[in-house]
Amino acid sequence: MTDGGCAITVDRLVEDARMSGDLVQLAGDVTYYVTAAAGACGGALLARTQDQATDATVRLGQRFAQRIFGVRAEGEEVPEPLADVIDDPDDGDSQAALRKAVRKVLAADAELAAQVQQWVQDAYKTGVVMTSGMRSPAVHTNHGIIAVGDGNTFRR
């Protein structure tokens, strides 16, 4: 189909939509890890030192942040969306702004997006479990009941 002299194929539209959806999911995954690391590391998130990041989720979040936003000296200015999450990791609006910033960086660099996607897949395989939201269970393997909410009762 053509529109104003621009040829657009259906395959291209489908591929763009798929890639856009993939990037949205990937940016969401990355934002979860970076937010966890921001809460744990604070202003040292982009500093090269990783000694303080002992938790696997925090280490991975710090790795994502450094790869996407660059390594900075402790105390050096960080990008605003990241600074806002460092200031208040629980603020949903700040997380959304960070997710958008991450998605833009990944959309602009296919090689980086592929590398980050591989890191996320590796994290899933090694058991780095992520969860989001109030009362969200984080489980790698479950052989029993998971109940969230109030007033649950179980009978044997």
Side-chain angles (χ1 to χ4, degrees), residues 5-106:
C6 297
I8 303 173
T9 66
V10 173
D11 290 341
R12 168 87 189 274
L13 290 173
V14 170
E15 178 61 22
D16 287 351
R18 187 191 66 74
M19 186 55 144
S20 175
D22 290 349
L23 284 176
V24 168
Q25 178 64 46
L26 183 57
D29 292 345
V30 168
T31 299
Y32 167 80
Y33 289 109
V34 172
T35 299
C41 299
L45 181 62
L46 295 180
R48 188 154 305 274
T49 59
Q50 295 185 359
D51 307 348
Q52 66 221 113
T54 56
D55 177 80
T57 301
V58 172
R59 278 194 315 271
L60 185 58
Q62 188 175 30
R63 185 176 177 194
F64 283 142
Q66 290 175 350
R67 183 66 176 94
I68 291 168
F69 297 107
V71 175
R72 306 248 171 46
E74 193 168 345
E76 189 177 341
E77 190 172 326
V78 299
E80 184 177 354
L82 188 55
D84 289 345
V85 169
I86 289 169
D87 289 343
D88 187 0
D90 295 325
D91 181 56
D93 291 336
S94 295
Q95 291 174 12
L98 176 61
R99 189 170 41 254
K100 184 175 182 179
V102 167
R103 187 177 37 135
K104 283 182 174 183
V105 170
L106 296 176

